[in-house]
Amino acid sequence: LDPRYEPHTASAASKRPTQSLLATSPQGRTRYGDGIVGLSIMRRRVCLFGTSADPPTGDGGHLGIVRHLVSLNFDEVRVLPVYRHMFGSKRGRQAPFQDRVAMCKLLVKDTAHVTVSEIERRCFEEKATGLMDDHQKSSIRVGTADILDKLTAEEPNVDFTWALGADTFIDLASGKWRRTEDIFRMVGYRMIVFRRKEGEQQEKDTQSSATQDLIKESVAKLQLVDEAESSIQVVNVDALTSASSSAVRRTTNESDLKVLLTRDVLEYVKQHALYSFGDES
């Protein structure tokens, strides 16, 4: 579950330029049509991948997803570590934000076209401006829609795509997130929904036929009818294994950790006494 998950309330009615103002080039890039100034502006394609990164795993997990996204020829793949968990009961149980950002940067340092963003921290700090009381600050929530509000305002010439796991996508498409409709609209219904390879799905039974049917139904309902190509892509990421951040947090067995983490991230975890290494006397 994406930690930015928010219980659904009333959908905000914020206004933004509609997709009909844009034209798609043969290369898949989007440009503004001829306007008053008669200029065409090439738009960048950026894929956003939000994650707790606690810690970020290697080829069988986070890095495998990032590399797959890079292979889809985005101008940039942007990793967004979660600043504060949406659920108060889970806050304080994560590694410090700056440690998770540092590990993400180590994870992708050799992968071209990938950046790590602290956008959620910036959103939180803006909301906290003027608040002196810790109790008030603890009630601040920064969700996916808040992040997209800021990004689309700051980068109006970017077409954003949101990448997320299959189960999270089903929750979003079912309206369980706050401002669900705004989220889809702000990314122009562009989403990458990633699944584990078929063998892992069968072994762990996390992608049952019922789940896959839900994905198909959700995509069919949300698909833009005027798009020549599918704007919501469901992809199998063959590199994904059963690697999980929770498994990393539970062990100090370096043989296992060398499989689950990249060398640089493992060294960082050890040097900073994170997770089970911090429990050692």
Side-chain angles (χ1 to χ4, degrees):
L1 183 66
D2 190 315
R4 296 185 185 89
Y5 163 86
E6 299 174 87
H8 173 73
T9 55
S11 176
S14 55
K15 305 281 186 180
R16 296 205 179 271
T18 62
Q19 190 70 15
S20 62
L21 295 176
L22 306 177
T24 303
S25 70
Q27 293 77 25
R29 305 298 169 85
T30 308
R31 61 176 176 80
Y32 283 113
D34 293 337
I36 296 174
V37 294
L39 296 176
S40 292
I41 303 174
M42 186 65 73
R43 297 176 63 82
R44 297 181 68 243
R45 299 169 62 246
V46 175
C47 185
L48 305 172
F49 175 37
T51 175
S52 294
D54 192 30
T57 48
D59 286 322
H62 294 91
L63 184 57
I65 293 169
V66 168
R67 285 177 170 167
H68 187 89
L69 295 175
V70 168
S71 75
L72 300 179
N73 295 319
F74 288 99
D75 295 304
E76 177 188 347
V77 173
R78 196 175 300 177
V79 180
L80 279 54
V82 171
Y83 182 58
R84 295 170 82 245
H85 204 289
M86 185 57 61
F87 296 119
S89 61
K90 295 187 177 181
R91 292 175 191 163
R93 296 166 59 181
Q94 294 176 311
F97 177 67
Q98 291 304 329
D99 284 324
R100 290 183 284 115
V101 168
M103 288 187 285
C104 283
K105 289 181 178 180
L106 288 172
L107 183 79
V108 302
K109 67 181 180 67
D110 296 322
T111 308
H113 308 296
V114 182
T115 61
V116 178
S117 169
E118 298 186 30
I119 182 66
E120 186 174 336
R121 176 188 58 77
R122 292 200 292 125
C123 288
F124 176 86
E125 290 176 351
E126 284 189 9
K127 286 191 173 190
T129 301
L131 298 179
M132 303 298 293
D133 186 271
D134 288 340
H135 178 71
Q136 288 179 309
K137 290 181 180 180
S138 68
S139 66
I140 294 174
R141 289 183 173 184
V142 175
T144 301
D146 299 308
I147 290 170
L148 289 171
D149 278 337
K150 189 166 185 63
L151 288 176
T152 53
E154 291 182 345
E155 303 176 64
N157 294 326
V158 171
D159 290 326
F160 291 106
T161 297
W162 196 270
L164 69 174
D167 293 334
T168 307
F169 171 73
I170 291 172
D171 284 342
L172 174 61
S174 300
K176 294 182 179 179
W177 290 25
R178 184 172 65 87
R179 296 178 60 192
T180 293
E181 294 175 3
D182 289 341
I183 292 169
F184 279 109
R185 179 177 50 75
M186 284 190 282
V187 296
Y189 288 78
R190 292 178 297 272
M191 292 196 173
I192 305 293
V193 182
F194 50 84
R195 303 183 299 188
R196 295 180 186 274
K197 61 185 178 182
E198 195 66 27
E200 289 290 334
Q201 292 175 9
Q202 293 173 350
E203 179 183 344
K204 294 180 70 61
D205 196 31
T206 58
Q207 299 293 335
S208 64
S209 59
T211 299
Q212 300 213 33
D213 287 343
L214 280 172
I215 296 171
K216 291 177 182 177
E217 291 172 10
S218 299
V219 171
K221 285 191 296 184
L222 293 163
Q223 200 60 260
L224 292 178
V225 295
D226 60 345
E227 284 289 310
E229 294 185 58
S230 173
S231 56
I232 300 175
Q233 300 179 50
V234 182
V235 299
N236 290 315
V237 182
D238 290 340
L240 292 186
T241 67
S242 57
S244 69
S245 296
S246 58
V248 173
R249 295 193 297 268
R250 291 193 299 262
T251 185
T252 57
N253 185 314
E254 292 198 33
S255 295
D256 292 339
L257 291 172
K258 286 178 181 178
V259 175
L260 297 168
L261 301 175
T262 63
R263 180 179 59 185
D264 290 336
V265 172
L266 175 55
E267 287 304 310
Y268 188 96
V269 169
K270 291 165 58 180
Q271 289 174 9
H272 292 79
L274 299 176
Y275 311 118
S276 293
F277 288 96
D279 297 333
E280 294 183 337
S281 55

